[in-house]
Amino acid sequence: MSKTTLTIFIALFAIGTYLFGGTLFFTLFNLCKSKIPNQPESGKITIVNFPERKFIGKYYENVPKRNKMGKCASDLYQFFFTKLFNNYSFFKVCLNYPLTSRYYAINQMLETFTFSCGFLVPSNITTLIDKNTLQNELGIKIETVEGGEYATTRFIGPYSKLSEAWSTFENNLKDKFNKEMEDVSKGNVFEEYWTDPMTEKDENKYITDLSSKLNK
């Protein structure tokens, strides 16, 4: 996709987002990013040694579950289409990664989340951008994600069932691998969203990859 074509596409996307709402945010990234990586069937756990990575996103504290995704879409739309697009090389790279949530705290009783929403990328990519602009003008943080041993699994189903998917993931990890996830407060728990709700109307086909660093 040429820069001119992408510029036109972004202009049209901006109009569509204004008219139809934040969920259109997914459409751009699902049209431009790489093909969804091949993974084992839903529910199968894989243990992976990841290198140190970076997370580029915006921090939210105690956000109600029902508002979570809409808030992400609205703020990240501003992030990408007012500042980041000026750095075209970095913009193109980010389009190859899914929208991701990084969790720091989950209040099950109140159904609120403390998390960052953005993109999990290789460490060397962040050398391409002006960190001061992102942090000072937009409140976007660039955080280091520890390398090490992670457990990953794929969940296929509605976002409303993600809590159940995490419980199953955690229980199977203990029963089958004798391993435990790190506490969520360490910030090494992730959800990667591969499905565009605007083009896939069947919630039972939504693809989300779950991952967590493991206790040593």
Side-chain angles (χ1 to χ4, degrees), residues 180-198:
E180 293 185 349
M181 298 177 184
E182 271 193 350
D183 189 89
V184 67
S185 63
K186 295 186 177 180
N188 292 316
V189 175
F190 302 92
E191 288 175 353
E192 296 175 284
Y193 313 108
W194 288 101
T195 304
D196 172 15
M198 294 299 295

Side-chain angles (χ1 to χ4, degrees), residues 3 9 30-31 39 49 63 66 71 77 80 85 100 108 112 127-128 142 180 187 207:
K3 186 170 182 177
F9 181 77
N30 283 278
L31 286 173
Q39 293 283 357
N49 278 296
V63 176
R66 63 183 180 278
K71 181 65 174 171
Y77 168 80
F80 272 92
F85 182 62
T100 301
Q108 298 286 4
T112 61
T127 61
L128 300 172
I142 302 176
E180 293 185 349
I207 298 173

Side-chain angles (χ1 to χ4, degrees), residues 130-141:
D130 178 359
K131 298 177 180 63
N132 289 329
T133 298
L134 294 182
Q135 294 171 356
N136 296 337
E137 295 186 25
L138 294 173
I140 300 296
K141 294 183 178 181

Side-chain angles (χ1 to χ4, degrees), residues 10 63 89 115:
I10 287 173
V63 176
S89 297
F115 67 103

